[in-house]
Amino acid sequence: MIKMILFRKFRVLILMVFLVACTMHIMIDLLPKLEKRAAGADSGDGGCQCAHHPAGEAQGWGKQRARSAAEAGWPNKHTLRILQDFSNEPSSNLTSHSLEKNTAAGERAESFGRMRPSAGKAEDHKPLIGDASGGRTVPAHGASGLSALFEHPLYKIDLPTLTDDDTLFNVNTDIRFYPRTTGNQGWHNDDGNEEEEVFSPTGEVTAESYPNWLRFHIGINRYELYSRHSPVLDALLKDLVIQRITSVAMKSGGTQLKLIMTFQNYGQALFKPMKQTREQETPPDFFYFSDFERHNAEIAAFHLDRILDFRRVPPVAGRLVNMTREIRDVTRDKKLWRTFFISPANNVCFYGECSYYCSTEHALCGKPDQIEGSLAAFLPDLNLAKRKTWRNPWRRSYHKRKKAEWEVDPDYCDEVKQTPPYDRGTRLLDIMDMTIFDFLMGNMDRHHYETFEKFGNDTFIIHLDNGRGFGKHSHDELSILVPLSQCCRVRQSTYLRLQLLAKEEYQLSSLMEESLLRDRLSPILIQPHLLAMDRRLRLVLQVLAGCIEKEGYTSVVEEDLEGDSATHRSPGHR
């Protein structure tokens, strides 16, 4: 009998503990809402965004987490962010696994439908929004080497006349956006002052007042991501640095942590945080697939791509980010938020979730809460501008012992030339451009590439995911050049620009150094990396010279220039 009584009391005790736990759980869920209401009633500081100090993090952690969506500026499903996506992996068509989920396809089409011209009206079919592609920026007093380069005839070659089939989006200049439908009337205002409206008298925003990220999207065509002298590019780079960050979420996929950042104007960018200093060279025993991604490599790759006149890397800028105010306090990604902690050195740290390098041993720590990173502008959303992912024919095996077929078969390129899409058009020449680009950076991680589906096989390769470049300056990985040495094919325009950049007055390292000085995190590359590019450029020209000597100039160099620009050949081949 006594045992029975004790057993019943034990069951009652267990039930009471369970009820108390449930009550506490409910109270914890309700506490943020109660604090939010109390803060809204008591606050009179206008939403001060003062700097947070790590020493006081423990006391205010839960309270800061409870900030409302309106204060954080988290965009709703009707915002312009549906026009964007960033892709750098075969599975990268997916956005964040937690919070950056896409809206329904019908909502996307309805939102973007406002930009489409009305069917059946001839007067509605007007040219694209101009991005000053025909004009040029005026060089500053005492013209720089970079300005002189862009004034060279090789950098003034006009594109073919663009048709509707050659532009990613067909937008009329008289189409209007209605910002009020986005839930934030100040979406276009860089200063964040929603009361200071700059709408037209009709309350609409003209096409010229589109946010810079949208103007960048509209300017994409079959031949380039952006034009040589587009004023939108510099404006977009500035936005990446100064726009207020309103939300942050982890990007799904990949071996290392990447964050999706949304700005006040609903632009989005991919943030890669600093993991290694500029002086840290990749150890010689490291496999190419086990190295850390470098934020400064992403920045330098964009500038190199522009100097080579490829213009196939989305705009990238460096930014110093406050980990507390600009990441932790604005994220709704619980998985990310839970990985924040204060280190023994009293610095703010986090590590997120990813396939390999996301743990306390690989935590990202600020000093005390400031961290460098690269911000790469998103490309248009996949539902509006589909992209096709292609396996790189010269993809590495990603195995410690096995070699890829191209590494053991000297006639491998002949097989590639007989395989679509490399058997016609310019795709093989695009691969050669990408090979040269990767070799100058020392990037061995080009496993896939992407193209815009609308343009079919007759378009450029998008140079995405360049974080594993610029890891070694004391070593030249000649295996990267195998596609070029096997195929012995190159564009005439590419070949002539490489020769130009090898000259003293247009030295590649000097031009890169000058271009990188424009970034907020300058210096981006240390001097040994800059000098390594000059050395690698000479090696590229040596490989091409050997091909020309063996097979002849016309068999190696594919003519793609007309008129005066085509006469700028090397002295031995005129």
Side-chain angles (χ1 to χ4, degrees):
M1 180 65 69
I2 296 176
K3 290 183 178 180
M4 183 66 69
I5 294 174
L6 291 176
F7 179 71
R8 289 178 179 177
K9 288 184 178 181
F10 179 74
R11 287 197 302 176
V12 172
L13 179 62
I14 293 296
L15 179 62
M16 291 297 294
V17 171
F18 177 74
L19 291 175
V20 170
C22 291
T23 303
M24 291 181 63
H25 184 75
I26 294 173
M27 291 295 293
I28 291 174
D29 287 344
L30 292 177
L31 184 60
K33 297 182 179 179
L34 296 175
E35 288 184 348
K36 179 184 71 174
R37 293 181 180 178
D42 298 339
S43 62
D45 58 357
C48 173
Q49 298 208 3
C50 305
H52 295 259
H53 300 284
E57 296 301 318
Q59 298 178 359
W61 196 279
K63 187 172 181 178
Q64 292 165 3
R65 181 70 182 92
R67 291 186 177 182
S68 66
E71 290 175 328
W74 188 269
N76 57 40
K77 63 182 180 180
H78 298 296
T79 63
L80 299 179
R81 70 179 175 83
I82 65 170
L83 297 179
Q84 304 171 335
D85 182 64
F86 189 96
S87 180
N88 62 358
E89 300 160 357
S91 61
S92 62
N93 293 351
L94 301 175
T95 52
S96 174
H97 53 72
S98 54
L99 297 166
E100 294 293 325
K101 294 181 179 179
N102 291 328
T103 58
E107 292 176 341
R108 300 174 193 278
E110 179 182 356
S111 177
F112 192 71
R114 295 175 185 157
M115 298 198 303
R116 297 187 181 278
S118 302
K121 296 182 180 180
E123 62 272 14
D124 286 342
H125 294 277
K126 299 182 179 180
L128 286 172
I129 299 173
D131 63 351
S133 59
R136 295 187 296 274
T137 54
V138 180
H141 294 291
S144 65
L146 205 58
S147 299
L149 178 75
F150 292 147
E151 289 297 320
H152 192 277
L154 286 171
Y155 289 80
K156 290 185 176 181
I157 302 169
D158 294 329
L159 294 179
T161 302
L162 298 178
T163 65
D164 287 348
D165 291 336
D166 296 326
T167 55
L168 195 59
F169 299 120
N170 300 323
V171 184
N172 286 343
T173 56
D174 59 348
I175 295 297
R176 302 288 186 268
F177 272 131
Y178 296 87
R180 288 182 176 84
T181 64
T182 67
N184 184 351
Q185 299 180 11
W187 63 276
H188 62 287
N189 193 335
D190 289 342
D191 297 329
N193 185 358
E194 297 183 8
E195 296 179 358
E196 184 183 350
E197 295 188 355
V198 292
F199 299 142
S200 62
T202 60
E204 301 172 352
V205 178
T206 61
E208 290 74 16
S209 298
Y210 288 168
N212 293 312
W213 61 263
L214 182 55
R215 297 176 68 192
F216 160 58
H217 290 177
I218 292 171
I220 298 173
N221 59 62
R222 183 185 299 275
Y223 307 103
E224 59 188 6
L225 279 179
Y226 56 87
S227 61
R228 292 189 186 95
H229 307 285
S230 171
V232 175
L233 182 65
D234 290 336
L236 179 57
L237 291 173
K238 182 179 179 182
D239 282 351
L240 293 173
V241 177
I242 68 173
Q243 273 282 322
R244 181 167 61 88
I245 300 169
T246 58
S247 68
V248 176
M250 288 186 291
K251 184 184 182 299
S252 60
T255 60
Q256 303 183 36
L257 178 67
K258 295 178 282 287
L259 301 178
I260 298 173
M261 290 187 168
T262 304
F263 302 116
Q264 182 185 6
N265 68 351
Y266 298 102
Q268 287 186 305
L270 188 75
F271 180 76
K272 289 190 177 182
M274 175 179 177
K275 294 185 176 73
Q276 291 178 305
T277 65
R278 290 147 178 77
E279 294 76 19
Q280 285 181 282
E281 188 173 12
T282 301
D285 290 330
F286 267 39
F287 288 99
Y288 53 89
F289 49 82
S290 61
D291 194 13
F292 285 114
E293 294 181 348
R294 299 170 182 265
H295 72 298
N296 62 316
E298 292 284 358
I299 301 169
F302 164 70
H303 288 260
L304 175 62
D305 177 83
R306 191 180 184 187
I307 288 174
L308 292 172
D309 201 45
F310 293 155
R311 287 167 284 124
R312 300 165 193 170
V313 174
V316 184
R319 178 164 176 166
L320 192 64
V321 174
N322 186 299
M323 298 166 61
T324 304
R325 186 175 65 251
E326 296 182 306
I327 299 181
R328 196 203 70 193
D329 288 356
V330 298
T331 186
R332 284 188 170 183
D333 193 328
K334 292 183 180 179
K335 293 182 178 180
L336 172 63
W337 186 84
R338 288 169 181 165
T339 65
F340 274 84
F341 63 93
I342 305 299
S343 72
N346 208 32
N347 293 323
V348 177
C349 305
F350 72 98
Y351 53 89
E353 286 190 357
C354 60
S355 301
Y356 292 100
Y357 300 110
C358 288
S359 62
T360 53
E361 291 80 8
H362 300 100
L364 304 166
C365 296
K367 295 184 178 180
D369 58 356
Q370 303 286 322
I371 189 170
E372 288 185 15
S374 64
L375 279 164
F378 268 30
L379 294 174
D381 186 86
L382 292 174
N383 287 277
L384 301 171
K386 293 182 179 180
R387 300 196 298 276
K388 188 169 183 178
T389 300
W390 305 80
R391 181 187 176 97
N392 184 3
W394 281 271
R395 181 184 187 271
R396 296 179 181 273
S397 65
Y398 289 85
H399 193 279
K400 294 182 177 66
R401 293 178 299 277
K402 294 181 180 179
K403 290 188 176 182
E405 184 180 352
W406 59 267
E407 294 181 279
V408 295
D409 183 4
D411 298 323
Y412 178 78
C413 185
D414 293 334
E415 300 176 15
V416 174
K417 289 178 181 179
Q418 300 173 20
T419 307
Y422 309 102
D423 58 343
R424 57 171 294 274
T426 61
R427 182 61 60 83
L428 186 64
L429 296 172
D430 288 332
I431 293 288
M432 298 302 108
D433 284 348
M434 187 171 65
T435 296
I436 294 169
F437 175 63
D438 284 335
F439 180 68
L440 294 175
M441 294 190 299
N443 177 27
M444 303 172 65
D445 191 38
R446 191 70 66 184
H447 44 78
H448 289 79
Y449 65 86
E450 296 185 20
T451 59
F452 287 108
E453 195 172 283
K454 176 181 178 179
F455 304 136
N457 293 333
D458 300 318
T459 186
F460 62 91
I461 289 173
I462 308 172
H463 295 166
L464 295 174
D465 197 9
N466 306 297
R468 286 203 171 107
F470 299 103
K472 297 179 181 179
H473 54 73
S474 58
H475 174 73
D476 300 324
E477 184 52 60
L478 296 177
S479 63
I480 303 176
L481 274 183
V482 167
L484 188 65
S485 61
Q486 284 184 344
C487 296
C488 280
R489 294 291 300 279
V490 68
R491 277 190 175 92
Q492 182 186 27
S493 58
T494 299
Y495 182 50
L496 296 179
R497 289 189 186 104
L498 293 176
Q499 291 180 315
L500 184 68
L501 294 172
K503 295 181 178 179
E504 185 176 356
E505 60 267 35
Y506 296 105
Q507 192 174 34
L508 177 59
S509 59
S510 298
L511 294 171
M512 276 292 291
E513 185 175 21
E514 179 185 342
S515 184
L516 291 172
L517 284 174
R518 302 179 179 185
D519 193 87
R520 185 68 62 90
L521 299 183
S522 178
I524 301 300
L525 297 177
I526 59 174
Q527 198 66 23
H529 280 299
L530 294 171
L531 298 178
M533 281 190 288
D534 288 335
R535 183 179 69 243
R536 291 166 184 166
L537 176 57
R538 291 192 294 269
L539 290 174
V540 171
L541 291 174
Q542 287 177 16
V543 169
L544 289 174
C547 287
I548 292 171
E549 183 178 357
K550 181 175 61 176
E551 301 186 14
Y553 184 89
T554 56
S555 298
V556 175
V557 180
E558 182 80 15
E559 291 195 8
D560 64 337
L561 301 176
E562 296 179 359
D564 295 338
S565 299
T567 63
H568 292 275
R569 298 182 178 178
S570 58
H573 302 287
R574 289 188 176 178

